[in-house]
Amino acid sequence: MRKGGYVALEAVGLVITALAAQTVIRGLLDQDSELLWGIVDWVPGDRTGRLILLGFIALVGMVAGGWAHTRQRLNTGRGRAGNSGGVRGRGKD
């Protein structure tokens, strides 16, 4: 995958994580709120099942974004062993 693909996957993972986690927190604090405008009403287990599904979606988004971030760093050379990422020739005049 190219660098742009990793960046896109990282961004999508972060957005999914942010939206799903916010919905889970709002669902835990406000018992009267409807989760995601009724999009997840098909999930069995009533409100608890929906919150578990949204928590799992947030976790998957976080893992996907983190994986893409790590792969992007490895492919650009910044994460390889022996490359400290510092300035070369520092301390020399």
Side-chain angles (χ1 to χ4, degrees), residues 82-92:
N83 186 2
S84 64
V87 178
R88 292 185 183 202
R90 192 160 90 188
K92 297 180 182 178

Side-chain angles (χ1 to χ4, degrees), residues 9-59:
L9 181 60
E10 182 180 1
V12 168
L14 291 175
V15 168
I16 289 172
T17 300
L19 294 176
Q22 178 185 11
T23 304
V24 169
I25 292 169
R26 181 174 289 167
L28 289 172
L29 297 177
D30 185 11
Q31 296 295 324
D32 296 330
S33 69
E34 189 175 356
L35 299 175
L36 289 178
W37 308 282
I39 293 174
V40 291
D41 284 347
W42 56 270
V43 177
D46 205 27
R47 187 169 192 81
T48 304
R50 294 176 192 142
L51 288 174
I52 290 172
L53 174 69
L54 288 169
F56 180 72
I57 290 171
L59 183 65

Side-chain angles (χ1 to χ4, degrees), residues 67-86:
W67 178 83
H69 180 76
T70 304
R71 295 300 295 178
Q72 177 187 354
R73 287 187 64 200
L74 288 175
N75 286 344
T76 58
R78 292 186 317 210
R80 292 192 178 126
N83 186 2
S84 64

